[in-house]
């Protein structure tokens, strides 16, 4: 099929839940993408914070190829080595105790919610528990995760959602405290809000929430699906705050392109029992071979060190850009998860950047989001800034 055929046929057969750009992506290499016409793009989106190791990481590709020839799927009636290795690796880097593998971020959230409800059921011997989530959060599109997503535009057509969810103001500890009652079983938050516009939690807020949870025997769920896996210069963003959650959700960069998510619990919060939860594909050897290789590559390439260095450089360059342009009203973020807020919608900037060979995405209508592969160098930042300057 030629490029136009692919787009036309796609419009005919794919359910129109996305307004796609008129580009057919064909292949990737490092920090670059190539479309079906051979045009090259510097990629500061990384498949939405997925391709942490860039395109074509040799060790991950080889691990996946080897596993395809061995066995792709076994079911959870049996053990498989890649899942066991990936689970051990994930616990080592996160400081958590137990892992349940699933296939996406939204499923990891579903598992986290069920874990919290089960924990409280055992604790109180009754049902009717509630969860506190944050306004402007994003936790996924399945009905449970959507119930936690503090965004009326995503929620309203699908109401009523799960009951007993209350929304507090992010970074306002008093607004959380005001919602706590004897039914509260969990507080869920993103240590750095992603889709909501790149808002890092303050240290006071996150450590305050941890203390509140300890005091009231409430489980803290950190959604690390976007901000985890090295993106903020540590493996998981909550570690920047010295906070260990009771439940952590991971996906996006975990498989660097293979669909794998996970929720992790402490021993104390490992409330789910045999029969309480399951997934046919969850933890299958193919995706876990990828996740295991990804974790090993993070260590070998010392990804978090490089994110700290290049992230600081990106911060400096985006600050300079902000000084030069009145339409840029704010700059936020940590490591290689940063955002520029504009006084105008950023749609045109994104389109013009594409024409100039740069892939950027938004987070909300007015915020440009920078979530490049974590293995980029200062030279990639310079190249991005040069294109963005011209576009602006
Ligand atoms: C992307 C994302 C999700 C949902 O993940 P999917 O794999 O799209 O289901 C949940 N939480 C956060 C913070 C995310 O960024």
């Amino acid at each position: 099929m030629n490029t136009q055929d692919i787009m036309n046929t796609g419009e005919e057969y794919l359910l129109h839940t996305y307004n796609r750009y008129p580009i057919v992506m064909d292949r990737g290499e490092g920090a670059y993408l190539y479309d079906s016409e051979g045009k090259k793009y510097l990629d500061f989106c990384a498949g939405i914070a997925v391709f942490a190791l860039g395109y074509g990481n040799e060790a991950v590709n080889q691990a996946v190829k080897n596993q395809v020839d061995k066995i792709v799927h076994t079911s959870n009636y049996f053990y498989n080595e890649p899942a066991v290795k990936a689970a051990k690796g994930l616990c080592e880097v996160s400081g958590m105790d137990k892992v349940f593998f699933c296939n996406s971020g939204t499923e990891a959230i579903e598992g986290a919610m069920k874990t919290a409800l089960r924990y409280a059921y055992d604790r109180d011997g009754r049902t009717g528990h509630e969860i506190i989530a944050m306004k402007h959060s994003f936790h996924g599109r399945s009905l449970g995760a959507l119930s936690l997503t503090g965004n009326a535009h995503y929620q309203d057509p699908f109401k009523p959602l799960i009951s007993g969810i209350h929304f507090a103001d992010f970074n306002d500890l008093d607004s959380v405290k005001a919602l706590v009652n004897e039914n509260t079983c969990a507080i869920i938050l993103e240590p750095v809000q992603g889709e909501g516009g790149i808002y890092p939690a303050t240290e006071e807020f996150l450590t305050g929430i941890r203390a509140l949870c300890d005091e009231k025997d409430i489980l803290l769920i950190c959604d690390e699906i976007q901000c985890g896996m090295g993106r903020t210069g540590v493996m998981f963003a909550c570690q920047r705050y010295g906070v260990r959650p009771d439940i952590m959700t991971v996906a996006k960069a975990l498989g660097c392109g293979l669909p794998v998510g996970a929720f992790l619990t402490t021993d104390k919060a490992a409330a789910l029992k045999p029969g309480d939860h399951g997934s046919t594909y969850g933890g299958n050897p193919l995706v876990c071979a990828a996740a295991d290789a990804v974790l090993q590559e993070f260590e070998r390439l010392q990804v978090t060190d490089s994110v700290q260095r290049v992230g600081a450089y990106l911060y400096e360059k985006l600050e300079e850009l902000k000084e030069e342009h009145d339409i840029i009203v704010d700059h936020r973020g940590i490591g290689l998860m940063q955002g520029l807020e504009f006084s105008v919608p950023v749609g045109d900037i994104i389109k013009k950047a594409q024409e100039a060979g740069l892939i950027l995405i938004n987070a909300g209508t007015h915020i440009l989001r920078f979530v490049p592969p974590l293995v980029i160098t200062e030279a990639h930042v310079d190249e991005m800034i040069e294109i963005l300057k011209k576009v602006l």
Side-chain angles (χ1 to χ4, degrees), residues 18 48-49 103-109 137-142 145 149 190 192-195 223-227 249 251-252 260-261 337 369:
Y18 295 99
I48 319 185
N103 314 289
S104 64
T106 204
E107 282 174 76
I109 297 290
S137 59
F138 183 84
H139 298 293
R141 304 293 200 146
S142 53
T149 291
E190 299 153 82
V192 183
Q193 288 193 328
E195 306 292 317
D223 181 349
E224 294 269 357
I225 291 169
Q226 187 162 160
C227 61
T249 56
K252 291 201 165 88
V260 52
M337 182 173 185
R369 172 166 38 157

Side-chain angles (χ1 to χ4, degrees), residues 52 229-234 240 298 301-315 334-338 372-376 378:
M229 291 299 292
R231 187 145 293 278
T232 68
V234 291
R240 295 185 63 89
F298 262 74
L301 298 167
Q302 303 201 301
V303 168
T304 51
D305 288 353
S306 141
V307 171
Q308 285 175 25
R309 196 188 71 241
V310 180
Y313 187 72
L314 175 65
Y315 200 90
I334 318 174
L336 289 174
M337 182 173 185
Q338 296 189 35
L374 301 184
V375 293
I376 60 163
E378 286 87 344

